[in-house]
Coordinates of all heavy atoms in Angstrom, one line a residue:
M1 N 0.9 -1.2 0.0 CA 0.0 0.0 0.0 C 0.9 1.3 0.0 O 1.8 1.4 0.8 CB -0.9 0.0 1.3 CG -1.8 1.2 1.3 SD -2.8 0.9 2.7 CE -3.8 2.4 2.7
T2 N 0.6 2.2 -0.9 CA 1.5 3.4 -1.0 C 0.7 4.4 -0.1 O -0.5 4.5 0.0 CB 1.5 4.0 -2.4 OG1 0.2 4.2 -2.9 CG2 2.2 2.9 -3.3
E3 N 1.6 5.2 0.6 CA 1.1 6.3 1.4 C 0.7 7.5 0.5 O 1.3 7.9 -0.4 CB 2.3 6.7 2.4 CG 2.6 5.6 3.3 CD 3.7 6.1 4.4 OE1 3.4 7.2 5.0 OE2 4.7 5.4 4.5
K4 N -0.4 8.2 1.0 CA -0.9 9.3 0.2 C -0.1 10.6 0.7 O 0.1 10.8 1.9 CB -2.4 9.5 0.5 CG -3.0 10.6 -0.3 CD -4.4 10.6 -0.2 CE -5.0 11.7 -1.0 NZ -6.4 11.8 -1.0
K5 N 0.4 11.3 -0.2 CA 1.2 12.5 0.1 C 0.3 13.6 0.3 O -0.7 13.8 -0.4 CB 2.2 12.8 -1.0 CG 3.3 11.9 -1.1 CD 4.3 12.3 -2.1 CE 5.5 11.3 -2.3 NZ 6.4 11.7 -3.2
L6 N 0.6 14.5 1.3 CA 0.0 15.8 1.4 C 0.6 16.8 0.5 O 1.8 16.8 0.3 CB 0.1 16.3 2.9 CG -0.5 15.3 3.9 CD1 0.0 15.8 5.3 CD2 -2.0 15.3 3.8
K7 N -0.1 17.6 -0.2 CA 0.5 18.6 -1.1 C -0.1 20.0 -0.8 O -1.4 20.1 -0.5 CB 0.1 18.2 -2.5 CG 0.7 16.8 -2.9 CD 0.3 16.4 -4.4 CE 0.9 15.1 -4.7 NZ 0.6 14.7 -6.0
V8 N 0.8 21.0 -0.9 CA 0.3 22.4 -0.8 C 1.1 23.2 -1.8 O 2.3 23.0 -2.0 CB 0.8 22.9 0.6 CG1 0.4 24.4 0.8 CG2 0.0 22.1 1.8
D9 N 0.3 24.1 -2.5 CA 0.9 25.0 -3.4 C 0.6 26.4 -3.0 O -0.5 26.7 -2.6 CB 0.2 24.8 -4.9 CG 0.7 23.4 -5.5 OD1 1.9 23.2 -5.6 OD2 -0.2 22.6 -5.9
L10 N 1.6 27.2 -3.0 CA 1.4 28.6 -2.6 C 2.0 29.5 -3.8 O 2.9 29.1 -4.5 CB 2.4 28.8 -1.4 CG 2.1 28.1 -0.2 CD1 3.1 28.3 0.9 CD2 0.7 28.5 0.4
S11 N 1.5 30.7 -3.8 CA 1.9 31.7 -4.7 C 2.2 32.9 -4.0 O 1.3 33.5 -3.3 CB 1.0 32.0 -6.0 OG 0.8 30.8 -6.7
V12 N 3.5 33.5 -4.1 CA 3.9 34.7 -3.4 C 4.2 35.7 -4.4 O 5.3 35.7 -5.1 CB 5.1 34.5 -2.4 CG1 5.4 35.7 -1.7 CG2 4.7 33.3 -1.5
P13 N 3.4 36.8 -4.6 CA 3.7 37.9 -5.5 C 4.7 38.8 -4.9 O 4.7 39.2 -3.7 CB 2.4 38.6 -5.7 CG 1.6 38.3 -4.5 CD 2.1 37.0 -4.0
F14 N 5.6 39.4 -5.8 CA 6.7 40.3 -5.5 C 6.4 41.5 -6.3 O 5.8 41.4 -7.4 CB 8.0 39.8 -5.6 CG 8.4 38.8 -4.6 CD1 8.1 37.5 -4.7 CD2 9.1 39.2 -3.4 CE1 8.4 36.6 -3.6 CE2 9.5 38.4 -2.4 CZ 9.1 37.0 -2.5
P15 N 6.9 42.7 -6.0 CA 6.8 43.9 -6.8 C 7.4 43.7 -8.2 O 6.8 44.3 -9.2 CB 7.5 45.0 -6.0 CG 7.4 44.5 -4.6 CD 7.6 43.0 -4.7
T16 N 8.5 43.0 -8.3 CA 9.1 42.8 -9.6 C 9.5 41.4 -9.7 O 9.7 40.6 -8.8 CB 10.4 43.7 -9.7 OG1 11.4 43.2 -8.7 CG2 10.1 45.2 -9.4
E17 N 9.8 41.0 -11.0 CA 10.3 39.7 -11.3 C 11.7 39.6 -10.7 O 12.0 38.4 -10.1 CB 10.4 39.5 -12.9 CG 10.9 38.1 -13.2 CD 10.9 37.7 -14.7 OE1 10.5 38.6 -15.5 OE2 11.3 36.7 -15.1
R18 N 12.5 40.5 -10.7 CA 13.9 40.5 -10.1 C 13.8 40.0 -8.6 O 14.6 39.2 -8.1 CB 14.6 41.8 -10.3 CG 16.0 41.8 -9.7 CD 17.0 41.0 -10.5 NE 18.3 41.2 -10.0 CZ 19.1 40.2 -9.6 NH1 18.6 38.8 -9.6 NH2 20.2 40.3 -9.0
E19 N 12.9 40.7 -7.9 CA 12.7 40.4 -6.5 C 12.3 38.9 -6.3 O 12.8 38.2 -5.3 CB 11.8 41.4 -5.8 CG 12.4 42.8 -5.7 CD 11.5 43.7 -5.2 OE1 10.6 44.2 -6.1 OE2 11.5 44.2 -4.0
A20 N 11.3 38.4 -7.1 CA 10.9 37.1 -7.1 C 12.1 36.2 -7.3 O 12.2 35.1 -6.6 CB 9.8 36.8 -8.0
Q21 N 13.0 36.4 -8.2 CA 14.2 35.6 -8.6 C 15.1 35.7 -7.4 O 15.7 34.7 -7.0 CB 14.8 36.1 -9.8 CG 14.0 35.8 -11.1 CD 14.6 36.5 -12.3 OE1 15.4 37.5 -12.2 NE2 14.2 36.1 -13.5
I22 N 15.3 36.8 -6.7 CA 16.2 36.9 -5.6 C 15.7 36.0 -4.5 O 16.4 35.3 -3.8 CB 16.4 38.3 -5.1 CG1 17.2 39.1 -6.1 CG2 17.0 38.4 -3.7 CD1 17.2 40.6 -6.0
A23 N 14.4 36.1 -4.2 CA 13.8 35.3 -3.2 C 13.9 33.8 -3.4 O 14.3 33.0 -2.6 CB 12.4 35.7 -2.9
C24 N 13.7 33.4 -4.6 CA 13.8 32.0 -5.1 C 15.3 31.5 -4.9 O 15.4 30.4 -4.3 CB 13.4 31.9 -6.5 SG 13.4 30.1 -7.1
G25 N 16.2 32.3 -5.4 CA 17.6 31.9 -5.2 C 18.0 31.8 -3.8 O 18.8 30.9 -3.4
T26 N 17.6 32.7 -3.0 CA 17.9 32.7 -1.6 C 17.3 31.5 -0.8 O 17.8 30.8 0.0 CB 17.4 34.0 -0.8 OG1 18.0 35.1 -1.6 CG2 17.9 34.0 0.7
L27 N 16.0 31.2 -1.2 CA 15.2 30.2 -0.4 C 15.6 28.8 -1.0 O 15.3 27.8 -0.3 CB 13.8 30.5 -0.5 CG 13.3 31.8 0.2 CD1 12.0 32.1 -0.2 CD2 13.4 31.5 1.7
S28 N 16.1 28.7 -2.2 CA 16.5 27.4 -2.8 C 17.8 26.9 -2.3 O 18.1 25.7 -2.5 CB 16.5 27.5 -4.3 OG 15.2 27.8 -4.7
V29 N 18.6 27.6 -1.6 CA 19.9 27.3 -1.3 C 20.0 26.1 -0.4 O 20.7 25.1 -0.5 CB 20.7 28.4 -0.5 CG1 22.0 28.0 0.1 CG2 21.0 29.6 -1.4
D30 N 19.1 26.0 0.6 CA 19.0 24.9 1.6 C 17.9 24.0 1.2 O 16.7 24.2 1.2 CB 18.7 25.4 3.0 CG 19.8 26.3 3.6 OD1 21.0 26.1 3.1 OD2 19.4 27.2 4.3
S31 N 18.4 22.7 0.8 CA 17.4 21.7 0.4 C 16.8 21.1 1.7 O 17.5 21.1 2.8 CB 18.0 20.7 -0.5 OG 19.0 20.0 0.2
E32 N 15.7 20.6 1.6 CA 15.1 19.9 2.8 C 15.9 18.6 3.1 O 16.3 17.9 2.3 CB 13.6 19.5 2.6 CG 12.7 20.7 2.2 CD 12.6 21.6 3.5 OE1 12.6 21.2 4.6 OE2 12.4 22.9 3.2
P33 N 16.1 18.4 4.5 CA 16.8 17.2 4.8 C 16.0 16.0 4.5 O 14.8 16.0 4.6 CB 17.0 17.3 6.4 CG 16.2 18.4 6.8 CD 15.8 19.2 5.6
K34 N 16.7 14.9 4.0 CA 16.0 13.6 3.7 C 15.1 13.1 4.8 O 14.0 12.6 4.6 CB 17.0 12.6 3.3 CG 17.8 13.0 2.1 CD 17.1 12.7 0.8 CE 18.1 13.0 -0.3 NZ 17.5 13.7 -1.4
R35 N 15.6 13.1 6.1 CA 14.9 12.6 7.1 C 13.6 13.5 7.5 O 12.7 13.0 8.2 CB 15.8 12.5 8.4 CG 16.2 13.9 9.0 CD 17.1 13.6 10.1 NE 17.4 14.9 10.8 CZ 18.2 15.8 10.3 NH1 18.8 15.6 9.2 NH2 18.5 16.9 11.0
G36 N 13.5 14.7 7.0 CA 12.4 15.5 7.2 C 11.2 15.1 6.5 O 10.1 15.4 7.0
G37 N 11.3 14.5 5.4 CA 10.2 14.0 4.6 C 9.4 15.0 3.9 O 8.3 14.7 3.5
V38 N 9.9 16.2 3.8 CA 9.2 17.3 3.1 C 10.0 17.6 1.8 O 11.2 17.8 1.8 CB 9.1 18.6 3.9 CG1 8.4 19.6 3.1 CG2 8.3 18.3 5.2
K39 N 9.3 17.6 0.7 CA 9.9 18.0 -0.6 C 9.3 19.4 -1.0 O 8.1 19.7 -0.8 CB 9.4 17.0 -1.7 CG 10.0 17.2 -3.0 CD 9.5 16.2 -4.0 CE 9.9 16.6 -5.4 NZ 9.4 15.6 -6.4
K40 N 10.3 20.3 -1.4 CA 9.9 21.6 -1.8 C 10.5 22.0 -3.1 O 11.6 21.7 -3.3 CB 10.5 22.5 -0.6 CG 10.3 24.0 -0.9 CD 11.1 24.8 0.3 CE 12.5 24.7 0.1 NZ 13.3 25.4 1.1
E41 N 9.6 22.6 -3.9 CA 10.1 23.0 -5.3 C 9.7 24.5 -5.4 O 8.5 24.8 -5.1 CB 9.4 22.2 -6.4 CG 9.8 20.7 -6.4 CD 9.0 20.0 -7.4 OE1 8.3 20.5 -8.2 OE2 9.2 18.7 -7.5
L42 N 10.6 25.3 -5.9 CA 10.3 26.7 -6.1 C 10.5 27.1 -7.6 O 11.5 26.6 -8.2 CB 11.3 27.6 -5.2 CG 11.1 27.6 -3.8 CD1 11.7 26.4 -3.1 CD2 11.6 28.8 -3.1
V43 N 9.6 27.8 -8.2 CA 9.6 28.2 -9.5 C 9.1 29.7 -9.6 O 8.2 30.1 -9.0 CB 8.7 27.3 -10.4 CG1 8.6 27.8 -11.8 CG2 9.1 25.9 -10.4
V44 N 9.8 30.5 -10.4 CA 9.4 31.9 -10.6 C 8.8 32.0 -12.0 O 9.2 31.5 -12.9 CB 10.7 32.9 -10.5 CG1 10.2 34.2 -11.0 CG2 11.3 32.8 -9.2
K45 N 7.6 32.6 -11.9 CA 6.9 32.9 -13.1 C 6.4 34.4 -13.1 O 5.6 34.9 -12.3 CB 5.6 32.1 -13.3 CG 5.9 30.6 -13.6 CD 4.7 29.8 -13.9 CE 5.0 28.4 -14.1 NZ 3.8 27.5 -14.2
G46 N 7.2 35.2 -13.9 CA 6.9 36.6 -13.8 C 7.4 37.2 -12.5 O 8.5 36.8 -12.1
N47 N 6.5 37.9 -11.8 CA 6.9 38.4 -10.5 C 6.4 37.6 -9.3 O 6.3 37.9 -8.2 CB 6.4 39.9 -10.3 CG 4.8 39.9 -10.2 OD1 4.2 39.2 -11.0 ND2 4.3 40.8 -9.4
V48 N 5.9 36.3 -9.6 CA 5.3 35.4 -8.6 C 6.3 34.2 -8.4 O 6.8 33.6 -9.3 CB 4.0 35.0 -9.1 CG1 3.4 34.0 -8.1 CG2 3.1 36.1 -9.3
L49 N 6.5 34.0 -7.1 CA 7.3 32.8 -6.6 C 6.3 31.8 -6.4 O 5.4 31.9 -5.4 CB 8.1 33.2 -5.4 CG 8.8 32.1 -4.7 CD1 9.8 31.4 -5.7 CD2 9.5 32.5 -3.5
N50 N 6.3 30.6 -7.0 CA 5.4 29.5 -6.7 C 6.1 28.5 -6.0 O 7.2 28.1 -6.4 CB 4.9 29.0 -8.1 CG 4.0 30.0 -8.8 OD1 3.0 30.3 -8.4 ND2 4.5 30.4 -10.0
I51 N 5.5 28.0 -4.9 CA 6.2 27.0 -4.1 C 5.2 25.8 -4.0 O 4.0 25.9 -3.8 CB 6.4 27.5 -2.6 CG1 7.2 28.9 -2.7 CG2 7.2 26.5 -1.8 CD1 6.3 30.0 -2.5
H52 N 5.8 24.6 -4.1 CA 5.1 23.3 -4.1 C 5.7 22.5 -3.0 O 6.9 22.2 -3.0 CB 5.1 22.6 -5.4 CG 4.4 21.3 -5.3 ND1 3.1 21.1 -5.4 CD2 5.0 19.9 -5.2 CE1 2.8 19.8 -5.3 NE2 3.9 19.1 -5.2
F53 N 4.9 22.1 -2.0 CA 5.3 21.3 -0.9 C 4.7 19.9 -1.0 O 3.5 19.8 -1.4 CB 4.9 21.9 0.4 CG 5.6 23.1 0.9 CD1 5.0 24.3 0.6 CD2 6.8 23.1 1.5 CE1 5.6 25.5 1.0 CE2 7.4 24.3 1.9 CZ 6.9 25.5 1.6
E54 N 5.4 18.9 -0.6 CA 4.8 17.6 -0.4 C 5.4 17.0 0.8 O 6.6 17.1 1.1 CB 5.2 16.6 -1.6 CG 4.5 17.0 -2.9 CD 4.8 16.0 -4.0 OE1 5.4 15.0 -3.8 OE2 4.4 16.3 -5.2
A55 N 4.5 16.2 1.6 CA 5.0 15.5 2.8 C 4.1 14.2 2.9 O 3.0 14.2 2.5 CB 4.9 16.5 3.9
L56 N 4.6 13.4 3.8 CA 3.8 12.2 4.1 C 3.0 12.4 5.3 O 2.0 11.6 5.6 CB 4.7 11.0 4.2 CG 5.5 10.5 2.9 CD1 6.5 9.4 3.3 CD2 4.5 10.0 1.9
E57 N 3.4 13.3 6.2 CA 2.7 13.5 7.4 C 2.3 15.0 7.7 O 3.1 15.8 7.3 CB 3.5 13.1 8.7 CG 3.8 11.5 8.7 CD 4.7 11.1 9.9 OE1 4.8 11.9 10.8 OE2 5.1 10.0 9.9
A58 N 1.2 15.2 8.3 CA 0.8 16.6 8.6 C 1.8 17.3 9.4 O 2.1 18.5 9.2 CB -0.6 16.7 9.2
R59 N 2.3 16.6 10.4 CA 3.3 17.3 11.3 C 4.6 17.7 10.5 O 5.0 18.8 10.6 CB 3.7 16.3 12.4 CG 4.7 16.9 13.5 CD 5.1 15.8 14.4 NE 5.7 14.7 13.8 CZ 6.9 14.5 13.5 NH1 7.8 15.5 13.7 NH2 7.4 13.4 13.0
M60 N 5.0 16.9 9.6 CA 6.2 17.2 8.8 C 5.9 18.4 7.9 O 6.8 19.3 7.7 CB 6.7 16.0 8.0 CG 7.3 14.9 9.0 SD 8.0 13.5 8.0 CE 6.6 12.8 7.1
M61 N 4.7 18.4 7.3 CA 4.3 19.6 6.5 C 4.3 20.8 7.2 O 4.9 21.8 6.8 CB 3.0 19.2 5.8 CG 2.4 20.3 5.0 SD 3.4 20.5 3.4 CE 2.5 19.2 2.4
R62 N 3.7 20.7 8.5 CA 3.7 22.0 9.3 C 5.0 22.5 9.7 O 5.3 23.7 9.5 CB 2.9 21.7 10.5 CG 2.7 22.8 11.5 CD 1.9 22.5 12.7 NE 2.3 21.2 13.3 CZ 3.3 21.0 14.2 NH1 4.1 22.0 14.5 NH2 3.5 19.8 14.7
V63 N 5.9 21.6 10.0 CA 7.3 22.1 10.4 C 8.0 22.6 9.2 O 8.6 23.7 9.3 CB 8.0 20.9 11.0 CG1 9.4 21.2 11.3 CG2 7.4 20.4 12.4
G64 N 7.9 21.9 8.1 CA 8.6 22.4 6.9 C 8.1 23.7 6.4 O 8.9 24.6 6.0
M65 N 6.8 23.9 6.4 CA 6.2 25.1 6.0 C 6.5 26.3 7.0 O 6.7 27.4 6.6 CB 4.6 25.0 5.8 CG 4.3 24.2 4.6 SD 2.6 24.0 4.2 CE 2.2 25.7 3.8
N66 N 6.5 26.0 8.3 CA 6.8 27.1 9.3 C 8.2 27.5 9.1 O 8.5 28.7 9.1 CB 6.6 26.5 10.7 CG 5.2 26.5 11.1 OD1 4.3 27.2 10.6 ND2 4.9 25.7 12.2
S67 N 9.1 26.7 8.8 CA 10.5 27.0 8.6 C 10.6 27.8 7.3 O 11.3 28.9 7.3 CB 11.3 25.7 8.5 OG 12.7 26.0 8.1
F68 N 9.9 27.4 6.3 CA 9.9 28.1 5.0 C 9.4 29.6 5.2 O 10.0 30.5 4.7 CB 9.1 27.4 3.9 CG 9.0 28.2 2.6 CD1 10.1 28.2 1.7 CD2 7.9 29.0 2.5 CE1 10.0 28.9 0.6 CE2 7.9 29.8 1.2 CZ 8.9 29.7 0.3
F69 N 8.3 29.7 5.9 CA 7.7 31.0 6.1 C 8.6 31.9 6.9 O 8.7 33.1 6.7 CB 6.3 31.0 6.7 CG 5.3 30.7 5.7 CD1 4.5 29.5 5.9 CD2 5.1 31.5 4.6 CE1 3.5 29.2 5.0 CE2 4.0 31.2 3.7 CZ 3.2 30.0 3.9
D70 N 9.3 31.4 7.9 CA 10.3 32.2 8.7 C 11.4 32.7 7.8 O 11.8 33.8 7.8 CB 11.0 31.3 9.8 CG 10.1 31.0 11.0 OD1 9.0 31.8 11.1 OD2 10.4 30.1 11.7
H71 N 11.9 31.9 6.9 CA 13.0 32.3 5.9 C 12.4 33.3 4.9 O 13.1 34.2 4.6 CB 13.5 31.1 5.2 CG 14.4 30.2 6.1 ND1 14.0 29.0 6.6 CD2 15.7 30.4 6.7 CE1 14.9 28.5 7.4 NE2 15.9 29.3 7.5
L72 N 11.2 33.0 4.4 CA 10.6 33.9 3.5 C 10.4 35.3 4.1 O 10.7 36.3 3.5 CB 9.2 33.4 3.0 CG 8.5 34.3 2.1 CD1 9.2 34.6 0.8 CD2 7.1 33.7 1.8
N73 N 9.9 35.4 5.3 CA 9.8 36.6 6.0 C 11.1 37.4 6.2 O 11.1 38.6 5.9 CB 9.2 36.3 7.4 CG 8.8 37.7 8.1 OD1 8.1 38.4 7.5 ND2 9.1 37.8 9.4
L74 N 12.2 36.7 6.5 CA 13.5 37.3 6.6 C 14.0 37.8 5.3 O 14.4 39.0 5.2 CB 14.5 36.3 7.1 CG 15.9 36.8 7.3 CD1 16.0 37.9 8.3 CD2 16.8 35.7 7.7
V75 N 13.7 37.2 4.2 CA 14.1 37.5 2.9 C 13.4 38.8 2.5 O 13.9 39.9 2.0 CB 13.8 36.5 1.8 CG1 14.0 37.0 0.3 CG2 14.8 35.3 1.9
I76 N 12.0 38.8 2.7 CA 11.2 40.0 2.4 C 11.6 41.2 3.3 O 11.7 42.4 2.8 CB 9.7 39.8 2.6 CG1 9.3 38.7 1.5 CG2 8.8 41.0 2.6 CD1 7.9 38.2 1.7
E77 N 11.8 41.1 4.6 CA 12.2 42.2 5.4 C 13.6 42.7 5.0 O 13.7 43.9 5.0 CB 12.3 41.7 6.9 CG 10.9 41.5 7.5 CD 11.1 41.0 8.9 OE1 12.2 40.7 9.4 OE2 10.0 40.8 9.6
T78 N 14.5 41.8 4.5 CA 15.8 42.3 4.2 C 15.7 43.1 2.9 O 16.2 44.2 2.7 CB 16.8 41.1 3.8 OG1 16.9 40.4 5.1 CG2 18.1 41.6 3.4
M79 N 14.9 42.6 1.9 CA 14.7 43.5 0.6 C 14.0 44.8 0.9 O 14.3 45.8 0.3 CB 13.9 42.7 -0.4 CG 14.7 41.5 -1.0 SD 14.0 40.8 -2.5 CE 12.8 39.7 -1.8
E80 N 13.0 44.8 1.9 CA 12.4 46.1 2.2 C 13.4 47.1 2.9 O 13.3 48.3 2.6 CB 11.2 45.8 3.1 CG 10.0 45.2 2.4 CD 8.9 44.8 3.4 OE1 9.1 44.8 4.6 OE2 7.7 44.4 2.8
K81 N 14.2 46.5 3.7 CA 15.2 47.4 4.4 C 16.2 48.0 3.5 O 16.5 49.2 3.6 CB 15.9 46.6 5.5 CG 17.0 47.3 6.2 CD 16.9 47.1 7.7 CE 18.1 47.8 8.3 NZ 17.6 48.8 9.4
F82 N 16.7 47.3 2.6 CA 17.7 47.7 1.6 C 17.2 48.2 0.3 O 18.0 48.7 -0.5 CB 18.7 46.7 1.4 CG 19.6 46.3 2.7 CD1 19.2 45.2 3.4 CD2 20.6 47.1 3.1 CE1 20.0 44.8 4.6 CE2 21.3 46.9 4.3 CZ 20.9 45.7 5.0
G83 N 16.0 48.3 0.1 CA 15.4 48.9 -1.0 C 15.3 47.9 -2.2 O 15.9 46.8 -2.2
P84 N 14.8 48.3 -3.3 CA 14.7 47.5 -4.6 C 16.1 47.1 -5.1 O 17.0 48.0 -5.0 CB 13.9 48.3 -5.6 CG 13.7 49.6 -5.0 CD 14.2 49.6 -3.6
P85 N 16.3 45.9 -5.6 CA 17.6 45.5 -6.1 C 17.9 46.3 -7.4 O 17.1 46.7 -8.2 CB 17.4 44.0 -6.5 CG 15.9 43.9 -6.6 CD 15.3 44.8 -5.8
E86 N 19.2 46.5 -7.6 CA 19.6 47.1 -8.9 C 19.6 46.1 -10.0 O 19.7 44.9 -9.8 CB 21.0 47.7 -8.7 CG 21.0 48.8 -7.7 CD 22.4 49.5 -7.6 OE1 23.2 49.4 -8.6 OE2 22.7 50.2 -6.6
K87 N 19.4 46.6 -11.1 CA 19.2 45.7 -12.3 C 20.6 45.1 -12.7 O 21.6 45.5 -12.5 CB 18.6 46.5 -13.5 CG 17.2 46.8 -13.1 CD 16.6 47.5 -14.2 CE 15.2 48.0 -13.8 NZ 14.2 48.3 -14.7

């Protein structure tokens, strides 16, 4: 019997495509640990960062998403503090 995966898709709009790319690059650096059981994929389309999560357990999904949102918040606050990126 195969286990059913939990899936969550999120879209995070940014003011510009460049900012979405910076966020994607920053958040893609750390892959999820194998033992964590959470798979994360990030893709930029225009000015939108699309994130896809998969996990086998709700607890693992919650932990993985909480960690992601903490990092996303830090990236956004940093970009706001230092202003828009130069081209």
